[in-house]
Structures are given as C-alpha cells and as structure tokens.
Amino acid sequence: MDKWLAAIWLITNAKNGISSYEIHRALGITQKSAWFVLHRVRFAMMTGTFEKMKGEVESDETYIGGKAKNMHEGKRKAKGTGGAGKVIVKDCWSATARRVRSRSR
C-alpha cells in the first residue's frame, strides 16, 4: 500500500507526466510492476474513481485466516508464522463522511 500511495503522489505531481522507469527507480520496484501501477492509477484518474475522504480518516489492517496447525495436514498451504497463508484486509473510514473502503488481497 505504501508503494501505491507514493506512486500516486509521484504521478499527480509530475508536471510533464512520468514514465514507468522513473517510478521503478524512485520506489525500488521492478519496471514491470511500475508499469502496472502507472496504468492502474491512470485508469482510475480517467474514470474518476478516486474520491477524497474528508475530515479525520482512520485506517486499519489485519490478517484473516485460520492457524495452519488447526487445519488438516492436506489443506495446509503455507508453512511459517504470522501472516503466512492468510488474507490481508485493509480498511479506511471517515467518521465525518461516514464512508468505509475495504480492500483485501
């Protein structure tokens, strides 16, 4: 998420546009990923799907999924600790506008 927000900032503040190679160097991601991010952000700007959240905005993230040790041995996908094999969910909400945005990956 931090790479996406930094990329949005770079794209919106570039006077003459920005190339995926510049995003690649600035954010430390691959050029292929930078190209993907650039096109997604440009598409969102064209369609107007960026909406500002006003007032005080809160944000939270969590991992959702069961522990691997509680699963049948055949269903265990990830070996590891913490977020291994779990889904990341990120929420942002505005108390004044009463809007909630969620994203899972």
Side-chain angles (χ1 to χ4, degrees):
M1 187 62 113
D2 59 333
K3 302 281 185 188
W4 281 86
L5 292 176
I8 291 168
W9 183 84
L10 286 170
I11 294 166
T12 55
N13 287 314
K15 186 177 180 182
N16 296 325
I18 191 167
S19 69
S20 61
Y21 198 77
E22 289 178 74
I23 295 173
H24 144 73
R25 284 184 306 198
L27 301 180
I29 58 177
T30 64
Q31 191 271 333
K32 187 175 181 180
S33 296
W35 183 89
F36 179 82
V37 168
L38 181 62
H39 278 77
R40 296 292 178 213
V41 171
R42 283 180 180 167
F43 182 75
M45 288 177 167
M46 278 189 334
T47 58
T49 55
F50 278 138
E51 294 180 23
K52 290 183 180 179
M53 298 184 101
K54 296 178 181 163
E56 187 174 323
V57 177
E58 297 180 31
S59 176
D60 192 20
E61 60 187 34
T62 187
Y63 296 97
I64 296 181
K67 293 183 178 179
K69 73 176 187 177
N70 295 334
M71 294 180 190
H72 188 273
E73 191 172 340
K75 290 189 175 184
R76 293 182 195 167
K77 295 178 184 173
K79 304 276 187 203
T81 61
K86 297 183 181 181
V87 176
I88 302 170
V89 177
K90 173 111 175 125
D91 287 335
C92 295
W93 61 91
S94 174
T96 56
R98 296 186 179 170
R99 282 195 188 146
V100 176
R101 292 191 189 154
S102 296
R103 179 166 184 203
S104 63
R105 192 171 54 153

